[in-house]
Amino acid sequence: MTMDQASGLREWASQHQEMAGLGCPTHVAEALLALARGGPGQPRPGRQASAPAAGSPVITEGTATTLMVVGLPASQLGCVRELLAYWQAQGRRWVGDPRRWRLVPVSADSAHLPLLASQQPRWVLWVEADAEGFRRAWRLLLALSETGGPGQLLLMHPPGLGRRGLLENLQQAAAHYLGVELVVLA
């Protein structure tokens, strides 16, 4: 992808954002209120104070971990939970109990994105395996980058999608053009 294509995508995304408006969805307002209750510098309920040596905390019965999800509407968050269950069944211990994850859908054009990105460490970008999957994901990444979104996201997708091709291209383009790290677990 050349810089001309990337700038064209950014221009399209900004025009789309202007037309969509910047209203605050209810789920984002609720997430911000929950964050505010914890207070700055205070550990939030459900967040572990330290991570195990493996690098990622194992989610256990007594904890709930927030996962900010970009690329799926609230009505389709079951896809993320199903993928977490799939990963758990594949032996990925860090998932723990898939029901213990608190999934929060976030719009890439949310006015609250910089605040959420500074306070929430776990972000997911959902990518579909269809012909338009790369374009949709790239537009979301551009919007996230322009509005102060997270610098690292876990790339989630339907099971069976290999790393080569769509996922690898998206990962490389995000790192090269946007400075965003996409973690791929294919």
Side-chain angles (χ1 to χ4, degrees), residues 84-101:
L84 289 169
Y86 173 80
W87 282 344
Q88 180 197 37
Q90 296 297 311
R92 297 207 168 121
R93 290 192 55 233
W94 62 268
V95 173
D97 182 354
R99 297 169 297 180
R100 298 296 302 164
W101 288 85

Side-chain angles (χ1 to χ4, degrees), residues 34-95:
L35 290 171
R37 286 187 197 113
Q42 299 291 324
R44 285 168 187 57
R47 186 179 285 174
Q48 291 180 323
S50 62
S56 296
V58 174
I59 307 305
T60 61
E61 285 299 315
T63 62
T65 302
T66 301
L67 189 60
M68 310 304 281
V69 181
V70 180
L72 276 179
S75 63
Q76 294 179 4
L77 286 179
C79 296
V80 173
R81 196 160 314 280
E82 289 171 12
L83 187 57
L84 289 169
Y86 173 80
W87 282 344
Q88 180 197 37
Q90 296 297 311
R92 297 207 168 121
R93 290 192 55 233
W94 62 268
V95 173

Side-chain angles (χ1 to χ4, degrees), residues 3-171:
M3 286 303 288
D4 292 335
Q5 289 173 324
S7 64
L9 284 172
R10 277 193 291 275
E11 182 179 328
W12 178 88
S14 65
Q15 289 172 352
H16 181 69
Q17 180 178 355
E18 289 170 7
M19 292 190 294
L22 294 175
C24 180
T26 305
H27 65 273
V28 172
E30 289 170 356
L32 288 170
L33 286 172
L35 290 171
R37 286 187 197 113
Q42 299 291 324
R44 285 168 187 57
R47 186 179 285 174
Q48 291 180 323
S50 62
S56 296
V58 174
I59 307 305
T60 61
E61 285 299 315
T63 62
T65 302
T66 301
L67 189 60
M68 310 304 281
V69 181
V70 180
L72 276 179
S75 63
Q76 294 179 4
L77 286 179
C79 296
V80 173
R81 196 160 314 280
E82 289 171 12
L83 187 57
L84 289 169
Y86 173 80
W87 282 344
Q88 180 197 37
Q90 296 297 311
R92 297 207 168 121
R93 290 192 55 233
W94 62 268
V95 173
D97 182 354
R99 297 169 297 180
R100 298 296 302 164
W101 288 85
R102 184 171 53 152
L103 306 177
V104 179
V106 178
S107 173
D109 60 359
S110 170
H112 305 291
L113 194 61
L115 176 63
L116 290 170
S118 71
Q119 295 185 348
Q120 292 297 318
R122 293 174 189 88
W123 288 77
V124 162
L125 173 64
W126 182 267
V127 179
E128 286 294 335
D130 63 2
E132 293 296 314
F134 181 91
R135 268 189 214 170
R136 280 192 305 271
W138 183 250
R139 284 185 221 134
L140 287 170
L141 285 169
L142 285 172
L144 288 172
S145 178
E146 290 175 349
T147 56
Q152 182 183 47
L153 298 100
L154 177 63
L155 203 56
M156 288 184 116
H157 50 83
L161 184 62
R163 177 182 296 268
R164 296 190 62 115
L166 170 70
L167 301 179
E168 202 169 73
N169 290 341
L170 194 57
Q171 185 180 36

